[in-house]
Amino acid sequence: MSTPTDVPAGDGPGTDTAAPPRRVLRGSRKAVARSAVVDRVWLALLGFVLLAAGTLAALLGFGVFGVGRAARPLLDPLIVDALRAQPQLWRWVAIAVGVVLVVLGLWWAVRSLRPERRPDLLLEENPDTSLLVTAGALAEAVTDRAGALPGVGKARARMVGSSGTPALRLTVWVTDEADVAEVCRRLENEVVAEARRSLGLAHLPVAVRLELDSVTHAPRVA
């Protein structure tokens, strides 16, 4: 059984104590979890359109716009006559609308299912050489450093965000005997602070997720 707890980490020793810029604050939300703002906006718009259409149909049926209009078909006869006058044209319009909806649906599905970006960080660049730290290398270094702390059974780190606003997502499994407060302190003052210093970043948003290590070791029978 796990007991997850999200702990947003602040700046460690040796870093700039000034208030982080707004872009860094936005990046801190990416550290906690993958953003679903775009999906929520599209769902809200779709729900609003469907709600508006349903409300309009109900108002027509209850005679709010006139008893005579409520007794007539939903589509006005003038619209029906226009559709019948140009059947080929409206057939192609319907096909085009269907294709657009399919493309939008595929784009939405691909965007929602694609893996989260793992940004590489370019620390130094000149005409002759460049120093690039890959997201995988940094995550592996943080994982090894956090996993070696007393009271930590295992750890997993992941770089998220973008190269301009990187963030770190760190999951730590603590043992039953661990001092959770001490583990958090060492994560902040040693692991996170070391990562910031190594990357030369004054601000690196970090989200630490603590879970109870469920792996138990059976007693050895002589």
Coordinates of all heavy atoms in Angstrom, one line a residue, residues 8-105:
P8 N 6.1 20.1 -3.2 CA 6.9 21.0 -4.1 C 8.1 21.5 -3.4 O 8.0 22.1 -2.3 CB 5.9 22.1 -4.4 CG 4.9 22.1 -3.3 CD 4.8 20.7 -2.7
A9 N 9.3 21.3 -4.0 CA 10.5 21.7 -3.3 C 10.9 23.1 -3.7 O 10.7 23.6 -4.8 CB 11.6 20.8 -3.7
G10 N 11.4 23.9 -2.8 CA 11.8 25.3 -3.0 C 13.2 25.3 -3.5 O 13.8 24.3 -3.9
D11 N 13.9 26.5 -3.4 CA 15.2 26.7 -3.8 C 16.1 26.2 -2.7 O 15.9 26.4 -1.6 CB 15.5 28.2 -4.1 CG 14.8 28.6 -5.3 OD1 14.5 27.8 -6.2 OD2 14.4 29.8 -5.4
G12 N 17.2 25.6 -3.1 CA 18.2 25.0 -2.2 C 19.2 26.1 -1.8 O 19.3 27.2 -2.4
P13 N 20.2 25.7 -1.0 CA 21.2 26.6 -0.6 C 22.1 27.0 -1.8 O 22.3 26.2 -2.6 CB 22.0 25.8 0.5 CG 21.1 24.7 0.9 CD 20.3 24.4 -0.3
G14 N 22.5 28.2 -1.8 CA 23.4 28.7 -2.8 C 22.7 29.1 -4.1 O 23.4 29.5 -5.0
T15 N 21.4 29.1 -4.0 CA 20.7 29.6 -5.2 C 20.1 31.0 -4.9 O 20.1 31.5 -3.8 CB 19.5 28.6 -5.5 OG1 18.7 28.6 -4.4 CG2 20.0 27.3 -5.9
D16 N 19.7 31.6 -6.0 CA 19.1 33.0 -5.9 C 17.9 33.0 -5.1 O 16.9 32.2 -5.4 CB 18.9 33.5 -7.3 CG 18.5 35.0 -7.3 OD1 18.5 35.6 -6.2 OD2 18.2 35.5 -8.4
T17 N 17.8 33.8 -4.1 CA 16.6 33.8 -3.2 C 15.5 34.8 -3.7 O 14.5 34.9 -3.1 CB 17.0 34.2 -1.8 OG1 17.6 35.5 -1.8 CG2 17.9 33.2 -1.2
A18 N 15.8 35.5 -4.9 CA 14.8 36.4 -5.4 C 13.6 35.6 -5.9 O 13.6 34.4 -6.2 CB 15.4 37.2 -6.6
A19 N 12.4 36.3 -6.0 CA 11.2 35.6 -6.5 C 11.4 35.1 -7.9 O 11.9 35.8 -8.7 CB 10.1 36.6 -6.4
P20 N 11.0 33.9 -8.1 CA 11.2 33.3 -9.5 C 10.3 34.0 -10.5 O 9.3 34.5 -10.2 CB 10.8 31.8 -9.3 CG 9.9 31.8 -8.1 CD 10.4 32.9 -7.2
P21 N 10.8 34.1 -11.7 CA 10.0 34.7 -12.8 C 8.7 33.9 -13.0 O 8.6 32.8 -12.7 CB 10.9 34.8 -14.0 CG 11.9 33.7 -13.7 CD 12.1 33.7 -12.2
R22 N 7.8 34.6 -13.7 CA 6.5 34.0 -13.9 C 6.6 32.7 -14.8 O 5.9 31.7 -14.5 CB 5.5 35.0 -14.6 CG 4.1 34.5 -14.8 CD 3.2 35.6 -15.3 NE 3.1 36.6 -14.2 CZ 2.4 37.7 -14.4 NH1 1.7 37.9 -15.5 NH2 2.3 38.6 -13.5
R23 N 7.5 32.7 -15.7 CA 7.6 31.5 -16.6 C 8.1 30.3 -15.7 O 7.7 29.1 -16.0 CB 8.6 31.7 -17.7 CG 10.0 32.1 -17.3 CD 10.9 32.4 -18.5 NE 12.3 32.6 -18.1 CZ 13.2 31.7 -17.9 NH1 12.9 30.4 -18.0 NH2 14.4 32.0 -17.5
V24 N 8.9 30.6 -14.7 CA 9.3 29.5 -13.8 C 8.2 29.0 -13.0 O 8.0 27.8 -12.7 CB 10.5 29.9 -12.9 CG1 10.9 28.9 -11.9 CG2 11.7 30.3 -13.7
L25 N 7.3 29.9 -12.5 CA 6.1 29.5 -11.8 C 5.2 28.6 -12.6 O 4.6 27.6 -12.1 CB 5.4 30.7 -11.3 CG 6.2 31.5 -10.2 CD1 5.3 32.8 -9.9 CD2 6.5 30.7 -9.0
R26 N 5.1 29.0 -13.9 CA 4.3 28.1 -14.8 C 5.0 26.7 -15.0 O 4.3 25.7 -15.1 CB 4.1 28.8 -16.2 CG 3.2 30.0 -16.2 CD 2.8 30.4 -17.6 NE 3.9 30.7 -18.4 CZ 4.4 32.0 -18.6 NH1 3.8 33.0 -18.0 NH2 5.4 32.2 -19.3
G27 N 6.3 26.7 -15.0 CA 7.0 25.5 -15.2 C 6.8 24.6 -13.9 O 6.9 23.4 -14.0
S28 N 6.6 25.2 -12.8 CA 6.4 24.4 -11.6 C 5.2 23.5 -11.6 O 5.1 22.4 -11.1 CB 6.4 25.3 -10.3 OG 5.3 26.2 -10.4
R29 N 4.2 24.0 -12.3 CA 2.9 23.2 -12.5 C 3.2 22.0 -13.4 O 2.6 20.9 -13.2 CB 1.8 24.0 -13.1 CG 1.3 25.1 -12.2 CD 0.0 25.7 -12.7 NE 0.3 26.5 -13.9 CZ 0.5 27.8 -13.8 NH1 0.6 28.5 -12.7 NH2 0.7 28.5 -14.9
K30 N 4.1 22.1 -14.3 CA 4.5 20.9 -15.2 C 5.3 19.9 -14.3 O 5.2 18.7 -14.7 CB 5.4 21.4 -16.3 CG 4.7 22.4 -17.3 CD 5.6 22.8 -18.4 CE 5.0 23.8 -19.3 NZ 5.9 24.3 -20.4
A31 N 6.0 20.4 -13.3 CA 6.7 19.4 -12.5 C 5.8 18.5 -11.7 O 6.0 17.3 -11.5 CB 7.6 20.2 -11.5
V32 N 4.6 19.0 -11.3 CA 3.7 18.3 -10.5 C 3.0 17.2 -11.3 O 2.9 16.1 -11.0 CB 2.7 19.2 -9.8 CG1 1.6 18.4 -9.0 CG2 3.4 20.1 -8.8
A33 N 2.5 17.6 -12.5 CA 1.7 16.7 -13.3 C 1.6 17.3 -14.7 O 1.8 18.5 -14.9 CB 0.3 16.4 -12.8
R34 N 1.4 16.4 -15.7 CA 1.2 16.8 -17.0 C 0.0 17.7 -17.2 O -1.1 17.4 -16.7 CB 1.1 15.6 -17.9 CG 1.0 15.9 -19.4 CD 1.1 14.7 -20.3 NE 1.1 15.0 -21.7 CZ 1.2 14.1 -22.6 NH1 1.4 12.8 -22.3 NH2 1.2 14.4 -23.9
S35 N 0.1 18.8 -17.9 CA -1.0 19.7 -18.0 C -2.1 19.2 -18.9 O -1.8 18.6 -20.0 CB -0.5 21.1 -18.6 OG -1.5 22.0 -18.8
A36 N -3.3 19.4 -18.5 CA -4.5 19.0 -19.3 C -5.3 20.2 -19.6 O -6.5 20.1 -19.9 CB -5.3 17.9 -18.6
V37 N -4.7 21.4 -19.6 CA -5.5 22.6 -19.8 C -6.2 22.7 -21.2 O -7.4 23.0 -21.3 CB -4.6 23.9 -19.6 CG1 -5.4 25.2 -19.9 CG2 -4.1 23.9 -18.1
V38 N -5.4 22.4 -22.2 CA -5.9 22.4 -23.6 C -7.1 21.5 -23.8 O -8.2 21.8 -24.3 CB -4.8 22.1 -24.6 CG1 -5.4 22.1 -26.0 CG2 -3.8 23.2 -24.5
D39 N -6.9 20.2 -23.2 CA -8.0 19.2 -23.4 C -9.3 19.7 -22.6 O -10.4 19.5 -23.1 CB -7.6 17.9 -22.8 CG -6.5 17.3 -23.6 OD1 -6.3 17.6 -24.8 OD2 -5.7 16.4 -23.1
R40 N -9.1 20.3 -21.4 CA -10.2 20.8 -20.7 C -10.9 21.9 -21.4 O -12.2 22.0 -21.4 CB -9.8 21.3 -19.3 CG -9.3 20.1 -18.4 CD -8.6 20.7 -17.2 NE -8.1 19.6 -16.3 CZ -7.4 19.8 -15.2 NH1 -7.0 21.0 -14.9 NH2 -6.9 18.7 -14.5
V41 N -10.2 22.8 -22.0 CA -10.8 23.9 -22.8 C -11.6 23.4 -23.9 O -12.7 23.8 -24.1 CB -9.7 24.9 -23.2 CG1 -10.3 25.9 -24.2 CG2 -9.0 25.6 -22.1
W42 N -11.0 22.5 -24.7 CA -11.8 21.9 -25.8 C -13.0 21.2 -25.4 O -14.1 21.3 -26.0 CB -10.9 21.0 -26.7 CG -10.0 21.7 -27.6 CD1 -8.6 22.0 -27.4 CD2 -10.3 22.3 -28.8 NE1 -8.1 22.7 -28.5 CE2 -9.1 22.9 -29.4 CE3 -11.5 22.4 -29.6 CZ2 -9.1 23.6 -30.6 CZ3 -11.5 23.1 -30.8 CH2 -10.3 23.6 -31.3
L43 N -12.9 20.4 -24.3 CA -14.1 19.7 -23.8 C -15.1 20.7 -23.3 O -16.3 20.5 -23.5 CB -13.7 18.8 -22.6 CG -13.0 17.5 -23.1 CD1 -12.5 16.7 -21.8 CD2 -13.9 16.6 -23.9
A44 N -14.7 21.8 -22.7 CA -15.6 22.8 -22.2 C -16.4 23.4 -23.4 O -17.6 23.7 -23.3 CB -14.9 23.8 -21.3
L45 N -15.6 23.8 -24.4 CA -16.2 24.4 -25.6 C -17.2 23.4 -26.3 O -18.3 23.8 -26.6 CB -15.2 24.8 -26.6 CG -14.3 26.0 -26.2 CD1 -13.2 26.2 -27.2 CD2 -15.1 27.2 -26.0
L46 N -16.8 22.2 -26.4 CA -17.7 21.2 -27.0 C -19.0 21.0 -26.1 O -20.1 20.9 -26.7 CB -17.0 19.8 -27.1 CG -17.8 18.7 -27.7 CD1 -18.3 19.0 -29.1 CD2 -17.0 17.4 -27.8
G47 N -18.8 20.9 -24.8 CA -20.0 20.8 -23.9 C -20.9 22.0 -24.0 O -22.1 21.9 -24.0
F48 N -20.3 23.2 -24.1 CA -21.1 24.4 -24.3 C -21.9 24.4 -25.5 O -23.1 24.8 -25.5 CB -20.2 25.7 -24.2 CG -20.9 27.0 -24.4 CD1 -21.6 27.5 -23.3 CD2 -20.9 27.6 -25.6 CE1 -22.3 28.7 -23.5 CE2 -21.6 28.8 -25.8 CZ -22.3 29.4 -24.7
V49 N -21.3 24.0 -26.6 CA -22.0 24.0 -27.9 C -23.2 23.0 -27.9 O -24.3 23.3 -28.3 CB -21.1 23.7 -29.1 CG1 -21.8 23.4 -30.4 CG2 -20.1 24.8 -29.3
L50 N -22.9 21.8 -27.3 CA -24.0 20.8 -27.2 C -25.1 21.2 -26.3 O -26.3 21.0 -26.5 CB -23.4 19.5 -26.8 CG -22.4 18.8 -27.7 CD1 -21.8 17.5 -27.1 CD2 -23.0 18.5 -29.1
L51 N -24.7 21.9 -25.2 CA -25.7 22.4 -24.2 C -26.5 23.4 -24.9 O -27.8 23.5 -24.7 CB -25.0 22.9 -23.0 CG -25.9 23.5 -21.9 CD1 -26.9 22.4 -21.4 CD2 -25.1 24.1 -20.8
A52 N -25.9 24.3 -25.6 CA -26.7 25.4 -26.3 C -27.6 24.8 -27.3 O -28.8 25.3 -27.4 CB -25.7 26.4 -27.0
A53 N -27.2 23.8 -28.1 CA -28.0 23.2 -29.1 C -29.2 22.5 -28.4 O -30.4 22.6 -28.9 CB -27.2 22.2 -29.9
G54 N -28.9 21.8 -27.4 CA -30.0 21.1 -26.7 C -31.0 22.0 -26.0 O -32.2 21.8 -26.1
T55 N -30.5 23.1 -25.5 CA -31.4 24.1 -24.9 C -32.3 24.8 -25.9 O -33.5 25.0 -25.7 CB -30.6 25.2 -24.1 OG1 -29.7 24.6 -23.1 CG2 -31.4 26.2 -23.5
L56 N -31.7 25.1 -27.1 CA -32.4 25.7 -28.1 C -33.5 24.8 -28.6 O -34.7 25.2 -28.8 CB -31.5 26.1 -29.3 CG -32.2 26.8 -30.5 CD1 -32.9 28.1 -30.1 CD2 -31.2 27.0 -31.6
A57 N -33.2 23.5 -28.8 CA -34.2 22.5 -29.2 C -35.3 22.4 -28.2 O -36.5 22.3 -28.6 CB -33.6 21.2 -29.5
A58 N -35.0 22.4 -26.9 CA -36.0 22.3 -25.9 C -36.9 23.5 -25.9 O -38.2 23.4 -25.7 CB -35.4 22.1 -24.5
L59 N -36.3 24.7 -26.0 CA -37.1 25.9 -26.1 C -38.1 26.0 -27.3 O -39.2 26.4 -27.1 CB -36.2 27.2 -26.1 CG -35.4 27.4 -24.8 CD1 -34.4 28.6 -25.0 CD2 -36.3 27.6 -23.6
L60 N -37.6 25.5 -28.4 CA -38.5 25.4 -29.6 C -39.6 24.4 -29.3 O -40.8 24.7 -29.6 CB -37.7 24.9 -30.8 CG -36.7 26.0 -31.4 CD1 -35.9 25.3 -32.5 CD2 -37.5 27.1 -32.0
G61 N -39.3 23.3 -28.7 CA -40.4 22.3 -28.4 C -41.4 22.8 -27.4 O -42.6 22.4 -27.5
F62 N -41.0 23.6 -26.5 CA -41.9 24.1 -25.4 C -42.7 25.3 -25.9 O -43.5 25.9 -25.2 CB -41.2 24.4 -24.1 CG -40.8 23.1 -23.4 CD1 -39.5 22.8 -23.2 CD2 -41.8 22.3 -22.9 CE1 -39.2 21.6 -22.5 CE2 -41.5 21.1 -22.2 CZ -40.2 20.8 -22.0
G63 N -42.4 25.8 -27.1 CA -43.2 26.9 -27.7 C -42.7 28.2 -27.2 O -43.5 29.2 -27.2
V64 N -41.5 28.3 -26.7 CA -41.0 29.6 -26.2 C -41.0 30.6 -27.4 O -41.2 31.8 -27.2 CB -39.6 29.5 -25.6 CG1 -39.1 30.8 -25.2 CG2 -39.8 28.6 -24.3
F65 N -40.7 30.1 -28.6 CA -40.6 31.0 -29.7 C -41.9 31.0 -30.6 O -41.9 31.4 -31.7 CB -39.4 30.6 -30.7 CG -38.1 30.6 -30.0 CD1 -37.5 29.5 -29.5 CD2 -37.4 31.8 -29.8 CE1 -36.3 29.5 -28.9 CE2 -36.2 31.9 -29.2 CZ -35.6 30.7 -28.7
G66 N -42.9 30.6 -30.0 CA -44.2 30.6 -30.6 C -44.8 29.2 -30.8 O -44.1 28.3 -31.0
V67 N -46.1 29.1 -30.6 CA -46.8 27.8 -30.7 C -46.7 27.3 -32.1 O -46.5 26.1 -32.3 CB -48.2 27.9 -30.2 CG1 -48.9 26.5 -30.4 CG2 -48.3 28.4 -28.8
G68 N -46.8 28.2 -33.1 CA -46.8 27.7 -34.5 C -45.4 27.2 -34.8 O -45.2 26.2 -35.5
R69 N -44.3 27.8 -34.3 CA -43.0 27.4 -34.6 C -42.7 26.0 -33.9 O -42.0 25.2 -34.4 CB -42.0 28.4 -34.1 CG -40.5 28.0 -34.4 CD -40.3 28.0 -35.9 NE -39.0 27.6 -36.3 CZ -38.7 26.3 -36.5 NH1 -39.6 25.4 -36.4 NH2 -37.5 26.0 -36.9
A70 N -43.3 25.8 -32.7 CA -43.1 24.5 -32.0 C -43.8 23.4 -32.8 O -43.3 22.2 -32.7 CB -43.7 24.6 -30.6
A71 N -44.8 23.6 -33.6 CA -45.5 22.6 -34.3 C -44.8 22.3 -35.6 O -45.1 21.2 -36.2 CB -47.0 23.0 -34.5
R72 N -43.9 23.1 -36.1 CA -43.2 22.9 -37.3 C -42.0 22.1 -37.1 O -41.5 21.9 -36.0 CB -42.9 24.3 -37.9 CG -44.1 25.1 -38.4 CD -43.7 26.5 -38.6 NE -42.5 26.7 -39.4 CZ -41.9 27.9 -39.5 NH1 -42.4 29.0 -38.9 NH2 -40.9 28.0 -40.3
P73 N -41.5 21.5 -38.2 CA -40.3 20.7 -38.1 C -39.1 21.5 -37.6 O -39.1 22.8 -37.7 CB -40.0 20.2 -39.5 CG -41.4 20.3 -40.2 CD -42.1 21.4 -39.6
L74 N -38.1 20.9 -37.1 CA -37.0 21.6 -36.5 C -36.3 22.4 -37.6 O -35.9 23.6 -37.4 CB -36.0 20.6 -35.9 CG -34.7 21.3 -35.2 CD1 -35.2 22.2 -34.1 CD2 -33.8 20.2 -34.7
L75 N -36.1 21.9 -38.8 CA -35.5 22.6 -39.9 C -36.6 23.4 -40.6 O -37.6 22.8 -41.0 CB -34.8 21.7 -40.9 CG -33.5 21.0 -40.4 CD1 -32.9 20.1 -41.4 CD2 -32.5 22.1 -40.0
D76 N -36.3 24.6 -40.9 CA -37.3 25.5 -41.6 C -37.5 24.9 -43.0 O -36.5 24.5 -43.7 CB -36.8 26.9 -41.6 CG -37.8 27.9 -42.1 OD1 -38.0 28.0 -43.3 OD2 -38.5 28.5 -41.2
P77 N -38.7 25.0 -43.6 CA -38.9 24.5 -44.9 C -38.0 25.2 -46.0 O -37.7 24.6 -47.0 CB -40.4 24.9 -45.2 CG -41.0 24.8 -43.8 CD -40.0 25.4 -42.9
L78 N -37.7 26.5 -45.7 CA -36.8 27.2 -46.7 C -35.4 26.5 -46.7 O -34.8 26.4 -47.8 CB -36.6 28.6 -46.3 CG -37.9 29.5 -46.4 CD1 -37.6 30.9 -45.9 CD2 -38.4 29.5 -47.8
I79 N -34.9 26.0 -45.5 CA -33.7 25.4 -45.5 C -33.8 24.0 -46.2 O -32.9 23.6 -46.9 CB -33.2 25.2 -44.0 CG1 -33.0 26.5 -43.3 CG2 -31.9 24.4 -43.9 CD1 -32.7 26.5 -41.9
V80 N -34.9 23.3 -45.9 CA -35.1 22.0 -46.6 C -35.1 22.2 -48.1 O -34.5 21.4 -48.8 CB -36.4 21.3 -46.1 CG1 -36.6 20.0 -46.8 CG2 -36.3 21.1 -44.6
D81 N -35.8 23.2 -48.6 CA -35.9 23.4 -50.0 C -34.5 23.7 -50.6 O -34.1 23.3 -51.7 CB -36.8 24.6 -50.3 CG -38.3 24.2 -50.0 OD1 -38.6 23.0 -49.9 OD2 -39.1 25.2 -49.8
A82 N -33.7 24.5 -49.9 CA -32.3 24.8 -50.3 C -31.4 23.6 -50.4 O -30.6 23.4 -51.3 CB -31.7 25.9 -49.4
L83 N -31.6 22.7 -49.4 CA -30.8 21.4 -49.4 C -31.3 20.6 -50.6 O -30.4 19.9 -51.3 CB -31.0 20.7 -48.1 CG -30.5 21.4 -46.9 CD1 -30.8 20.5 -45.6 CD2 -29.0 21.5 -47.0
R84 N -32.5 20.5 -50.9 CA -33.0 19.7 -52.0 C -32.7 20.3 -53.4 O -32.5 19.6 -54.3 CB -34.6 19.6 -51.9 CG -35.0 18.7 -50.7 CD -36.5 18.7 -50.6 NE -37.0 17.8 -49.6 CZ -38.2 17.7 -49.2 NH1 -39.2 18.5 -49.7 NH2 -38.6 16.9 -48.2
A85 N -32.5 21.6 -53.4 CA -32.1 22.3 -54.7 C -30.7 22.0 -55.1 O -30.4 21.9 -56.3 CB -32.4 23.8 -54.6
Q86 N -29.8 21.8 -54.1 CA -28.4 21.6 -54.5 C -27.9 20.3 -53.7 O -27.1 20.4 -52.8 CB -27.6 22.8 -54.1 CG -27.9 24.1 -54.8 CD -27.4 24.0 -56.3 OE1 -26.6 23.2 -56.6 NE2 -28.0 24.9 -57.1
P87 N -28.4 19.2 -54.0 CA -28.1 18.0 -53.2 C -26.6 17.6 -53.3 O -26.0 17.2 -52.3 CB -29.0 16.9 -53.8 CG -29.3 17.3 -55.2 CD -29.4 18.8 -55.1
Q88 N -26.0 17.8 -54.5 CA -24.6 17.4 -54.7 C -23.7 18.3 -53.9 O -22.7 17.9 -53.3 CB -24.3 17.5 -56.2 CG -22.9 16.9 -56.6 CD -22.9 15.4 -56.4 OE1 -24.0 14.7 -56.4 NE2 -21.7 14.8 -56.3
L89 N -24.0 19.6 -54.0 CA -23.2 20.6 -53.2 C -23.2 20.3 -51.7 O -22.1 20.3 -51.1 CB -23.7 22.0 -53.5 CG -23.1 23.1 -52.6 CD1 -21.6 23.3 -52.9 CD2 -23.8 24.5 -52.9
W90 N -24.4 20.1 -51.2 CA -24.5 19.9 -49.7 C -23.9 18.5 -49.3 O -23.4 18.4 -48.2 CB -25.9 20.0 -49.3 CG -26.4 21.4 -49.4 CD1 -27.3 21.9 -50.3 CD2 -26.0 22.6 -48.6 NE1 -27.5 23.3 -50.2 CE2 -26.7 23.7 -49.1 CE3 -25.1 22.7 -47.6 CZ2 -26.5 24.9 -48.6 CZ3 -24.9 24.0 -47.1 CH2 -25.6 25.1 -47.6
R91 N -23.9 17.6 -50.3 CA -23.3 16.3 -50.0 C -21.8 16.5 -49.8 O -21.2 15.9 -48.9 CB -23.6 15.3 -51.1 CG -23.1 13.9 -50.8 CD -23.5 12.9 -51.9 NE -24.9 12.7 -52.0 CZ -25.6 13.1 -53.0 NH1 -25.1 13.7 -54.0 NH2 -26.9 12.9 -53.0
W92 N -21.2 17.3 -50.7 CA -19.7 17.5 -50.6 C -19.4 18.4 -49.3 O -18.4 18.2 -48.7 CB -19.2 18.2 -51.8 CG -19.0 17.3 -53.0 CD1 -19.8 17.2 -54.1 CD2 -18.0 16.3 -53.1 NE1 -19.3 16.3 -54.9 CE2 -18.3 15.7 -54.4 CE3 -17.0 15.9 -52.3 CZ2 -17.4 14.6 -54.8 CZ3 -16.2 14.8 -52.7 CH2 -16.4 14.2 -54.0
V93 N -20.3 19.3 -49.0 CA -20.1 20.0 -47.7 C -20.1 19.1 -46.5 O -19.3 19.3 -45.6 CB -21.2 21.1 -47.6 CG1 -21.2 21.8 -46.2 CG2 -21.0 22.2 -48.7
A94 N -21.1 18.2 -46.5 CA -21.2 17.2 -45.4 C -19.9 16.4 -45.3 O -19.4 16.1 -44.2 CB -22.4 16.4 -45.5
I95 N -19.4 16.0 -46.5 CA -18.2 15.1 -46.5 C -17.0 16.0 -46.0 O -16.2 15.5 -45.2 CB -17.9 14.6 -47.9 CG1 -19.0 13.6 -48.3 CG2 -16.5 14.0 -48.0 CD1 -18.9 13.1 -49.8
A96 N -16.9 17.2 -46.4 CA -15.8 18.1 -46.0 C -15.9 18.3 -44.5 O -14.8 18.2 -43.8 CB -15.9 19.4 -46.7
V97 N -17.0 18.5 -43.9 CA -17.2 18.7 -42.5 C -16.8 17.4 -41.7 O -16.1 17.5 -40.7 CB -18.6 19.1 -42.1 CG1 -18.8 19.1 -40.6 CG2 -18.9 20.5 -42.7
G98 N -17.2 16.3 -42.3 CA -16.8 15.0 -41.6 C -15.3 14.8 -41.6 O -14.8 14.4 -40.6
V99 N -14.7 15.2 -42.8 CA -13.2 15.0 -42.8 C -12.5 15.9 -41.8 O -11.6 15.5 -41.1 CB -12.7 15.3 -44.3 CG1 -11.2 15.4 -44.3 CG2 -13.2 14.2 -45.2
V100 N -13.0 17.1 -41.7 CA -12.4 18.1 -40.8 C -12.6 17.6 -39.3 O -11.6 17.6 -38.5 CB -13.1 19.5 -40.9 CG1 -12.6 20.4 -39.7 CG2 -12.7 20.1 -42.2
L101 N -13.8 17.0 -39.0 CA -14.0 16.5 -37.7 C -13.1 15.3 -37.4 O -12.6 15.1 -36.3 CB -15.4 16.1 -37.5 CG -16.5 17.2 -37.5 CD1 -17.9 16.7 -37.4 CD2 -16.2 18.2 -36.3
V102 N -12.9 14.4 -38.4 CA -12.0 13.3 -38.2 C -10.6 13.7 -38.0 O -9.9 13.2 -37.1 CB -12.1 12.3 -39.5 CG1 -11.0 11.3 -39.4 CG2 -13.4 11.7 -39.5
V103 N -10.1 14.7 -38.8 CA -8.7 15.2 -38.6 C -8.6 15.8 -37.2 O -7.6 15.6 -36.5 CB -8.4 16.3 -39.7 CG1 -7.1 16.9 -39.4 CG2 -8.3 15.6 -41.0
L104 N -9.6 16.6 -36.8 CA -9.5 17.2 -35.4 C -9.5 16.1 -34.3 O -8.7 16.3 -33.4 CB -10.7 18.2 -35.2 CG -10.6 19.5 -36.0 CD1 -11.9 20.3 -35.7 CD2 -9.4 20.3 -35.6
G105 N -10.3 15.1 -34.5 CA -10.3 14.0 -33.6 C -9.0 13.3 -33.5 O -8.5 13.0 -32.4

